[in-house]
Amino acid sequence: METERYPSLGTKAVKLKVVKVNACLKINDALWSMGQTNQSMTSDFTLMGLFSYSGPHLVLFSLVVTIFTMGLLGNSTLLFLIRTDPRLHTPMYFLLSQLSLLDVGFPLVTIPKMAVNFMQGDSSISFGACGAQMFFLMLMGVSEGVLLSLMSYDRYVAVCHPLHYPILMRHQVCLLMVTTSWLSGVLVASIQTSIILHFPYCDSHTVEHFFCELPALLKLACADTTAYELALSISGVLILLLPLSLIFTSYSHVLRAILHMNSIEARHKAFTTCSSHITVVGLFYGAAVFMYMVPGTYHSPQQDNVVSLFYSLVTPTLNPLIYSLRNREVQVALAKVLSRVAFRSKR
């Protein structure tokens, strides 16, 4: 009867009820979206392992573990020699000790987790562990890139300005170089990791990689990442090209100085020490350029796995071998330690 006497009252009530229903639906949608985002922020990821359980893959897995062990042993030995032998207490070997420290950390972040997953038959990794893996890999990668460029400056001063070397490469300068390389890694890793972890991951949580690397994880985000990918490409170019430009400039001066040397012995010594560093630079930056400067459409996940395995395992293993086999000072220090051990064992 009320609606017949006051027809507008019924219409307003219906409209008010519709508004309330729409508001409730929007709240439910928002809560569901937040739940999905929270779920993606706490759910585990699944890593695509490198190996299956077939015979050939078991052999490859054993090879990876062997290379991993050799790398840890080689870098630890180099660190020990630099620490204990007074003749290796020079700026070049101080910087080299930092390189060995980074090369110890690189495979420790990825290979043990991969080995545990393989042996347990479980390829999962928690959201926090995935973020930590990304952070430390980026920290060490950027730090090593900056450190390699600063090591080229050390070689430039040693060859082109040998008389001023004790002043230009005094201990405070070396500490500043090392601090700069580590802080660069921490800064870039903190920014990049915090951004990538704030993206929602609503769909598949299967990472097409054997560890959590930024490009592989970015493919799983269900938000628009176009702007971030552009910023990442620009920052990647800067992070890679700036150190490479310093390396190129330093070694162009070094090469010119070596060609003008009259002493064959001095020329051979300069070329030997510089070629070791150039080899390490080529191994590291070759893989880094492929991963971060070549667009993702030009390489497959399988190629990414191989390249990542190369720079995270093979290169850190080769670095101490390159320096120990080509540097006479390291050879003498190693021979001295081995003779001392042999003498003690005889006694």
Side-chain angles (χ1 to χ4, degrees):
M1 295 295 295
E2 291 295 323
T3 56
E4 291 177 358
R5 292 174 58 187
Y6 304 101
S8 62
L9 182 64
T11 304
K12 288 181 179 180
V14 170
K15 288 182 178 179
L16 183 61
K17 189 172 183 179
V18 170
V19 170
K20 288 182 178 180
V21 169
N22 288 336
C24 289
L25 289 175
K26 289 181 180 180
I27 292 173
N28 287 336
D29 289 342
L31 290 173
W32 180 85
S33 177
M34 290 175 61
Q36 287 293 99
T37 302
N38 289 336
Q39 183 180 1
S40 71
M41 295 287 283
T42 56
S43 298
D44 292 349
F45 289 99
T46 301
L47 299 174
M48 296 295 290
L50 282 174
F51 313 110
S52 64
Y53 292 91
S54 60
H57 281 228
L58 288 173
V59 174
L60 290 175
F61 173 75
S62 302
L63 180 61
V64 166
V65 173
T66 303
I67 295 174
F68 170 73
T69 306
M70 289 175 57
L72 289 184
L73 182 61
N75 283 292
S76 300
T77 302
L78 194 54
L79 280 168
F80 174 77
L81 294 176
I82 294 172
R83 176 71 178 174
T84 57
D85 196 313
R87 288 171 296 185
L88 300 182
H89 293 174
T90 63
M92 184 186 82
Y93 287 106
F94 174 70
L95 297 176
L96 181 58
S97 68
Q98 299 300 306
L99 180 64
S100 292
L101 190 61
L102 290 167
D103 286 339
V104 167
F106 243 125
L108 280 177
V109 176
T110 57
I111 304 303
K113 175 61 177 174
M114 184 197 70
V116 169
N117 285 352
F118 178 81
M119 290 185 291
Q120 293 181 348
D122 179 20
S123 299
S124 64
I125 183 171
S126 67
F127 186 85
C130 188
Q133 206 174 54
M134 255 194 317
F135 174 82
F136 285 110
L137 282 171
M138 205 173 303
L139 185 157
M140 289 180 288
V142 174
S143 298
E144 185 161 336
V146 175
L147 182 64
L148 287 172
S149 66
L150 296 176
M151 290 175 72
S152 70
Y153 173 76
D154 168 74
R155 292 299 83 206
Y156 159 74
V157 175
V159 175
C160 300
H161 303 284
L163 298 178
H164 297 91
Y165 187 81
I167 298 174
L168 294 176
M169 291 300 298
R170 58 190 180 275
H171 188 61
Q172 292 84 349
V173 175
C174 294
L175 287 177
L176 180 61
M177 287 181 170
V178 170
T179 303
T180 300
S181 65
W182 282 99
L183 287 181
S184 300
V186 170
L187 178 63
V188 173
S190 300
I191 295 173
Q192 299 287 11
T193 306
S194 61
I195 293 175
I196 191 68
L197 291 183
H198 276 81
F199 282 118
Y201 299 95
C202 308
D203 298 322
S204 172
H205 281 200
T206 302
V207 182
E208 292 185 343
H209 217 325
F210 68 95
F211 61 84
C212 287
E213 193 169 24
L214 194 149
L217 203 66
L218 194 61
K219 296 177 182 178
L220 303 181
C222 60
D224 183 14
T225 60
T226 306
Y228 175 68
E229 288 180 14
L230 179 61
L232 181 63
S233 300
I234 295 172
S235 63
V237 169
L238 293 176
I239 291 169
L240 290 173
L241 289 187
L242 288 178
L244 277 175
S245 62
L246 177 59
I247 293 170
F248 178 79
T249 303
S250 298
Y251 276 111
S252 61
H253 289 288
V254 168
L255 181 61
R256 188 182 307 150
I258 290 175
L259 294 176
H260 285 85
M261 287 180 178
N262 295 323
S263 172
I264 298 177
E265 183 180 354
R267 186 184 302 176
H268 176 73
K269 183 178 179 180
F271 180 78
T272 300
T273 55
C274 292
S275 62
S276 298
H277 182 249
I278 291 174
T279 304
V280 173
V281 167
L283 291 172
F284 178 81
Y285 275 99
V289 166
F290 179 85
M291 284 296 298
Y292 291 96
M293 290 185 66
V294 177
T297 54
Y298 290 96
H299 45 90
S300 64
Q302 291 76 16
Q303 290 174 326
D304 290 345
N305 279 332
V306 172
V307 174
S308 297
L309 184 66
F310 185 81
Y311 79 74
S312 65
L313 177 64
V314 178
T315 301
T317 303
L318 291 177
N319 286 350
L321 296 175
I322 291 170
Y323 279 102
S324 63
L325 291 176
R326 298 183 67 86
N327 287 27
R328 181 169 176 78
E329 292 89 350
V330 177
Q331 295 173 3
V332 172
L334 182 59
K336 184 179 177 181
V337 170
L338 292 177
S339 62
R340 191 183 305 164
V341 171
F343 177 75
R344 288 179 179 177
S345 62
K346 289 180 180 179
R347 292 180 61 184

